[in-house]
Amino acid sequence: MKESLKYQKASDIFSKEPLWIAVNDEDRKEIFRDCIDFVARRDKEKKEEDRKRDIAAFSHVLQSMEQITYKTTWAQAQRILYENPQFAERKDLHFMDKEDALTVFEDHIKQAEKEHDEEKEQEEKRLRRQQRKVREEYRLLLESLHKRGELTSMSLWTSLFPIISTDTRFELMLFQPGSSPLDLFKFFVEDLKEQYTEDRRLIKEILTEKGCQVIATTEYREFSDWVVSHEKGGKVDHGNMKLCYNSLIEKAESKAKDEEKESLRRKRRLESEFRNLLKEHNVDKDSEWTVIKPKIEKDKAYLAMENDDERETAFNHYKNGTSGTTAGSEILEKKKKKKDKKKKNKRSDNNSESEGEIREKEKKKKKKHSKEDRMDDEERGKKSKKSRKRSPSRSESPRHSSEKRKRRESEAD
């Protein structure tokens, strides 16, 4: 009994069988159809079981073959399979459905690719962890140099290279991709420079707590001792400390200069008031200090002077017809002398020109004037033609032409 067997053919085959004859024709046909359906289901189930068995066996064979990788093509796989003893023993696999075999092979390749990608990703992660560890070790080297004060925000690669290049952590950095040792050094220094604002604030807090003040004569060693001796001073970068010191010293010097200028202005003002006081008491060259002093010692201008030596000195200067040379007057005198010297040098440079150069300049000047005269004559001729067309009887007055000639000569000069 097969699924393809027809009822007429079955009737010819079983016509002499007693069971076949014992059943009427209608019942035989119905029973035959039921039997055919059963055989069809049975054969289909068996075929599906055989297919699943072959697929599992073929997949197992592929997995056991190391020669087949994620790069292997189907044509290459077929040649490898026929050379494999395990595949050769399974004769049933030779008659396996080609489409099923190709599907199993594709699934095997996809799994191999997935495993390869996972292995590659794991390897990349491992390499990244290793490279990150090397960079962290190198950064620890830079931090150790920073703690010792050898690496600061003002450090240069050329100055620290002899120290860094002898360390094994520097050598390991050279054998991996990504940021170079120089790049990480620059990043580290940039971070220190960006820390300047915070370091400056911290330094000011330390100086305030210690009650220390930076003046123009404060040395860097003294300033550094103030900062480092504080518990928070270890966080401050030495390069930023130096920059902060320079800034504070510059401010202190500027303040001292301003105070000195203010003191000088105040001194000149007091001297001027004192001279006016002497003038009011008609001091002359015959006056004596011992006589004038009792008369003015209660006056504000007298009391404003610091001591008797300054008062007597100012008195003598006034008495001798001089008001004393102050710092301001000295500066003005020096500037005046410099200006006079520059003018004198300029005149001497002009006088030192050679006679040939002077003649050459005069020739150029004459040529320029003659060219301008020609242009003026041409322009005047054109204007005269126009004026003749407009009013033939009217002519230019001598006075008007002389004024024009004078103006032209002055312009040429």
Side-chain angles (χ1 to χ4, degrees), residues 223-238:
F223 175 81
S224 176
D225 292 339
W226 291 344
V227 177
V228 174
S229 61
H230 196 272
E231 57 182 4
K232 297 179 181 178
K235 300 177 182 178
V236 178
D237 174 70
H238 287 269

Side-chain angles (χ1 to χ4, degrees), residues 159-198:
S159 60
L160 283 175
F161 179 75
I163 301 172
I164 296 175
S165 60
T166 57
D167 198 286
T168 55
R169 289 169 285 187
F170 169 81
E171 294 178 1
L172 292 174
M173 280 290 298
L174 299 176
F175 295 102
Q176 68 178 29
S179 300
S180 65
L182 176 58
D183 293 334
L184 294 183
F185 174 83
K186 289 180 178 179
F187 297 153
F188 191 86
V189 172
E190 284 298 323
D191 291 341
L192 293 178
K193 288 180 180 179
E194 291 176 0
Q195 188 184 328
Y196 173 74
T197 305
E198 180 63 23

Side-chain angles (χ1 to χ4, degrees), residues 96-149:
M96 182 181 175
D97 184 74
K98 298 297 183 184
E99 187 175 351
D100 289 342
L102 181 59
T103 302
V104 172
F105 174 76
E106 287 177 347
D107 293 341
H108 178 74
I109 292 299
K110 286 179 182 178
Q111 183 63 27
E113 288 176 347
K114 185 178 179 180
E115 292 175 356
H116 172 73
D117 292 340
E118 289 177 355
E119 290 177 0
K120 185 178 179 181
E121 186 177 356
Q122 293 295 328
E123 180 65 18
E124 288 177 354
K125 285 182 179 178
R126 187 187 66 80
L127 287 174
R128 283 198 296 270
R129 283 196 299 269
Q130 182 179 350
Q131 292 169 6
R132 185 169 60 251
K133 187 177 179 181
V134 171
R135 286 194 296 270
E136 288 174 354
E137 291 293 329
Y138 179 74
R139 187 172 178 83
L140 289 175
L141 168 63
L142 298 179
E143 288 179 356
S144 64
L145 293 174
H146 177 247
K147 287 180 181 178
R148 296 202 301 264

